[in-house]
Amino acid sequence: MPAGRFSDGRLIIDFLAKSLGHPFLSAYLDSLGSNFSYGANFATAASTIRLPDQIFPAGGFSPFYLNIQYVQFMQLKSRSQLIRHRGGIFASLMPKEEYFSKALYTFDIGQNDLGEGFSGNLTVQEVNASVPDIISGFSANIKKIYDLGARSFWIHNTGPIGCLPYIFANFPAQKDEAGCAKSYNEVAQHFNQKLKEATVQLRKDLPLAAITYVDVYSVKYSLFKESQKYGFELPLVACCGYGGKYNYNSSSECGGTARVNGRQIFVGSCKDPSVRVNWDGIHYTEAAAKFISDKISTGAFSDPPLALKQACHKNLA
């Protein structure tokens, strides 16, 4: 059934949860049928680390930026225990108090902060200059979550934003060997370098924390650079979309309508999303998400090089 995903199916977090033996994580904002006994998902589409300037519906970004997600987590931690004490079905749907210190806290956020800068007509140099402040906001929230008892952190770096069709359609740029917008990917790489430096500092500041930095960028970029090797095709073209070389037009987005030869048509999926990388010009297909999850869960792209199932163990080396 449709589940509010910007994808044709499951996301990376869904596969990571499955690999740990859990069902899908219930969204914190989902008021019906939620079960938080094994975790919660605070992510929303278009969420950022910093408070965005343009929020739905006036702009394209979520009001649930990272500070708000922290407040939601704080509420879940305290209120879930009040609800558990009611007993019965309430107790079975809420996490035990000791789970909060044993849980793995996963983060995949920051790309939309860069995207907001580009969509706000900032230059590549100006977006680069905003990165330290973005990272500072991220680190501050990690520390606050640590103060609430979190001890194990799995932190994804950001992906190659310059390989996404919405970038090609809106921002002309020199292409690299994979056909991606070189200068935009360099911004993502700059963000990742600062994020990695921040994780090093966080390990010093939070001595009881196990912090894993995960190089998702490299895995995602391989899907564009070596798509055929991994069984994918047309990696730079959106599967669900309409218009132009990259099948993307911001005025005719996936699931909407487009006017063609005087009539309205539905903007739907390509024939076989299982061999495509990009779903809607911004997000990845289920097949790509599974590929990425399979790669990163091994620990081969992690610092320290720990598999997902070992990420809750502090590296004492």
Side-chain angles (χ1 to χ4, degrees), residues 13-307:
I13 186 61
D14 299 317
F15 289 109
L16 294 180
K18 183 180 179 182
S19 72
L20 292 174
H22 296 309
F24 298 144
L25 295 180
S26 290
Y28 177 82
L29 294 174
D30 194 346
S31 59
L32 299 174
S34 292
N35 182 345
F36 299 120
S37 63
Y38 44 80
N41 188 352
F42 297 90
T44 68
S47 60
T48 53
I49 294 172
R50 299 194 301 182
L51 174 65
D53 290 330
Q54 296 293 319
I55 292 174
F56 301 140
F61 295 91
S62 170
F64 300 101
Y65 72 113
L66 190 56
N67 282 12
I68 299 298
Q69 293 179 26
Y70 161 74
V71 172
Q72 292 172 335
F73 168 67
M74 186 169 57
Q75 292 288 319
L76 177 70
K77 188 173 188 292
S78 60
R79 293 188 175 189
S80 62
Q81 300 314 297
L82 297 175
I83 295 171
R84 269 189 64 82
H85 290 154
R86 296 180 187 177
I89 186 67
F90 298 105
S92 69
L93 296 176
M94 294 294 138
K96 296 179 180 179
E97 186 172 10
E98 61 265 28
Y99 287 0
F100 287 95
S101 62
K102 297 177 179 178
L104 181 63
Y105 292 80
T106 65
F107 296 84
D108 192 325
I109 193 167
Q111 182 169 285
N112 288 325
D113 291 86
L114 306 182
E116 187 200 15
F118 297 137
S119 65
N121 294 319
L122 297 184
T123 65
V124 165
Q125 292 75 19
E126 288 171 328
V127 175
N128 261 335
S130 73
V131 167
D133 188 55
I134 297 170
I135 297 298
S136 176
F138 178 80
S139 294
N141 276 283
I142 295 292
K143 291 177 180 179
K144 290 190 294 184
I145 294 168
Y146 176 89
D147 287 342
L148 288 180
R151 291 296 179 262
S152 302
F153 300 87
W154 177 268
I155 299 172
H156 293 182
N157 68 10
T158 201
I161 191 172
C163 296
L164 303 180
Y166 95 95
I167 291 292
F168 305 140
N170 295 303
F171 311 104
Q174 179 184 350
K175 302 296 175 61
D176 66 11
E177 58 184 332
C180 301
K182 188 172 185 286
S183 58
Y184 291 84
N185 275 351
E186 287 172 349
V187 174
Q189 291 164 1
H190 174 64
F191 175 94
N192 290 340
Q193 179 58 40
K194 294 302 179 183
L195 179 64
K196 190 166 188 179
E197 291 172 6
T199 61
V200 171
Q201 185 60 47
L202 284 167
R203 291 189 188 108
K204 297 176 182 177
D205 295 341
L206 312 177
L208 299 180
I211 300 175
T212 307
Y213 172 90
V214 187
D215 183 15
V216 174
Y217 181 100
S218 293
V219 179
K220 287 183 174 179
Y221 189 73
S222 71
L223 283 172
F224 299 99
K225 187 178 179 182
E226 303 176 283
S227 56
Q228 289 185 324
K229 174 181 174 181
Y230 299 117
F232 291 92
E233 59 187 42
L234 301 174
L236 302 176
V237 179
C239 170
C240 184
Y242 178 80
K245 181 178 179 181
Y246 303 105
N247 200 38
Y248 177 82
N249 186 319
S250 58
S251 62
S252 305
E253 295 183 338
C254 179
T257 59
R259 181 165 291 278
V260 180
N261 298 326
R263 64 187 183 93
Q264 292 284 104
I265 66 165
F266 175 70
V267 179
S269 171
C270 58
K271 288 184 178 180
D272 188 4
S274 70
V275 296
R276 301 292 286 274
V277 174
N278 190 280
W279 169 242
D280 59 1
I282 301 173
H283 306 93
Y284 290 77
T285 61
E286 178 183 77
K290 184 178 188 306
F291 174 89
I292 296 162
S293 175
D294 287 347
K295 290 283 188 181
I296 64 174
S297 61
T298 66
F301 293 88
S302 296
D303 177 25
L306 296 173

